[in-house]
Structures are given as structure tokens and as C-alpha cells.
Amino acid sequence: MKDVEVFFVGRANAGKSAVLKELFGLKTRVGRRPGVTRAPVRYQLGSFTVIDLPGIGFRRGLNGYRRVLRDVIDGERHKLRPLSLGVQVIDGKSFLEITERHFKPLDVDLFEYLLDSEIDPIVAINKMDKIEEPEASLDKIVSLLGMLPPYKQWADRVVPISAKKHDVAQLKWLISHRLQGMKNKIGGG
Ligand SMILES: Nc1nc2c(ncn2[C@@H]2O[C@H](COP(=O)(O)OP(=O)(O)OP(=O)(O)O)[C@@H](O)[C@H]2O)c(=O)[nH]1
Ligand SMILES: [Mg+2]
């Protein structure tokens, strides 16, 4: 499974680097302001590589971000595409706040872009520690992403987490489950 890459995408400040730190004990750079991760950072983890990507929305809209993603997604599309797993990290709290102001969060466009690129991303709804009504909020978030609520029926794709509370076990399980599925698909065992 040497060539499997797991890349982490999402809006700036969603907590991608913090989630990677929690998941794998990596020394990623985490910061309070958006724009901390400026270029893709790769970490080799034995049988696979994880990639911490810069955030969308910091100096780059989706158009600019596509260029960043193209290297990661399309670069592999031709030779190694089935070995690429995407994890979209969403700041659940900020997603809901943007929605309350009647704007469409960039996360929705990014999610659609990933689906169009034939990436079936794992969607990690982060910062759940800041959300008061988790069940109702998660149902709202999935429906805005174009999935039918209740969110629980999307358990193979959508997972609530909190990097701050070290609550990422379910995400870790889902990633390894997907990786196992990919391994079986390529006949690796
Ligand atoms: N309350 C709360 N804060 C979090 C959580 N996860 C991350 N944060 C905070 O969110 C801020 C941004 O975290 P980063 O990991 O740097 O975010 P990022 O998505 O990598 O940001 P960019 O590199 O700029 O794209 C930091 O202040 C983190 O401590 C969480 O689960 N709950
Ligand atoms: Mg980062």
C-alpha cells in the first residue's frame, strides 16, 4: 500500500493540521489564524502518505484552490487515482454561522468539486465542542451538503469530531476502513 495518499482539504482554519496532529501524532503547524499551512506538507506513515493541504478561502477561492488540488487529485488520476483518499475537514460552527447569514459556505462548493473529481471524500465535521445542538446541527450540515438527513445514515462518509477534545477515534477508524477497502480493490490482500 506504499502509494496510497490521504489528503486533508477544507477551509482555512477548519482544523486540518490539528486533526492530523491528533490522528497520527504528527508535528503539523497549527495556528489561531487562517493561512498557517501555506503549501502541501507530506508525511510518510509507513504504508501510506498523508498530505496536509493549505486551506481554501485564504487568499484563494475555489478557482485558485483547484490548482493546488490538481497536483494531488488529477496528478494521480491518470496513474494512481484509486489510491487517493480525500478527507474534507469542516469547521461545523463556522459553517452554521455562515448559513445563518444566508451565505453558501465554500465547503459546499469544495464538496461538490471533490465529488465531480470522482473523489468520495470522508467529511469530518470538526469543532463539535463548540456546537450546542449536535444532532440537529449535523442534520442541517449534511442537508446543506446535498445529503438527505438524518446524518447518521451517512456514517460511512460523515463523522463528527473534535480535535480539541481529542475526539477523533471514529475518523481514524473510518480512514483505516476506507484504506482497507482500497487495498482489497487493488488486490493487495
Ligand atoms: N474549539 C476547537 N478548536 C479547534 C479544533 N480543531 C482545531 N481548532 C483550532 O482551530 C484553529 C485552526 O487550526 P489549524 O489546524 O491550524 O487549521 P487549518 O485548517 O490547518 O488551517 P490552515 O492551515 O490555515 O488552512 C486553531 O486555533 C486550532 O486550535 C476543535 O476541534 N475545536
Ligand atoms: Mg493547516
Side-chain angles (χ1 to χ4, degrees), residues 90 95 104 107-109 111-112 115 123 138-149 153-154 157-158:
I90 292 179
F95 185 104
K104 182 182 173 194
D107 311 82
V108 178
D109 296 317
F111 180 64
E112 286 166 0
L115 291 180
V123 181
L138 288 163
D139 284 349
K140 198 167 173 186
I141 292 169
V142 295
S143 70
L144 286 157
L145 288 170
M147 291 172 265
L148 268 183
Q153 70 177 325
W154 297 96
R157 183 193 266 170
V158 178

Side-chain angles (χ1 to χ4, degrees), residues 36 55 64 77 94 99 170:
V36 172
R77 179 190 288 265
S94 130
T99 307
Q170 216 186 324

Side-chain angles (χ1 to χ4, degrees), residues 4-163:
V4 178
E5 294 197 329
V6 187
F7 62 91
F8 283 66
V9 289
R11 296 188 58 196
N13 209 47
K16 300 174 291 300
S17 302
V19 170
L20 275 168
K21 187 170 270 188
E22 284 302 320
L23 281 172
F24 306 112
L26 297 170
K27 294 196 169 67
T28 52
R29 278 192 65 207
V30 174
R32 271 204 281 154
R33 288 157 185 266
V36 172
T37 310
R38 295 292 179 99
V41 188
R42 294 177 135 81
Y43 301 88
Q44 180 70 46
L45 289 179
S47 61
F48 60 96
T49 302
V50 295
I51 310 174
D52 188 11
L53 288 170
I56 183 174
F58 180 78
R59 300 209 181 129
R60 272 193 206 97
L62 186 60
N63 282 340
Y65 203 63
R66 278 198 193 109
R67 253 169 271 140
V68 177
L69 282 177
R70 206 173 290 150
D71 280 350
V72 177
I73 304 172
D74 294 349
E76 286 166 20
R77 179 190 288 265
H78 307 293
K79 36 184 174 59
L80 297 167
R81 192 185 63 81
L83 305 181
S84 194
L85 171 61
V87 179
Q88 180 176 356
V89 179
I90 292 179
D91 176 340
K93 176 79 173 174
S94 130
F95 185 104
L96 292 166
E97 282 169 0
I98 291 165
T99 307
E100 270 154 29
R101 282 184 269 131
H102 307 286
F103 291 111
K104 182 182 173 194
L106 272 175
D107 311 82
V108 178
D109 296 317
L110 177 60
F111 180 64
E112 286 166 0
Y113 175 69
L114 291 171
L115 291 180
D116 285 349
S117 305
E118 293 172 43
I119 296 279
D120 178 13
I122 290 174
V123 181
I125 316 290
N126 192 32
K127 308 200 185 182
M128 287 306 296
D129 56 284
K130 290 167 93 178
I131 293 179
E132 275 162 25
E133 291 177 35
E135 300 278 319
S137 299
L138 288 163
D139 284 349
K140 198 167 173 186
I141 292 169
V142 295
S143 70
L144 286 157
L145 288 170
M147 291 172 265
L148 268 183
Y151 85 93
K152 282 196 170 146
Q153 70 177 325
W154 297 96
D156 58 348
R157 183 193 266 170
V158 178
V159 49
I161 59 167
S162 167

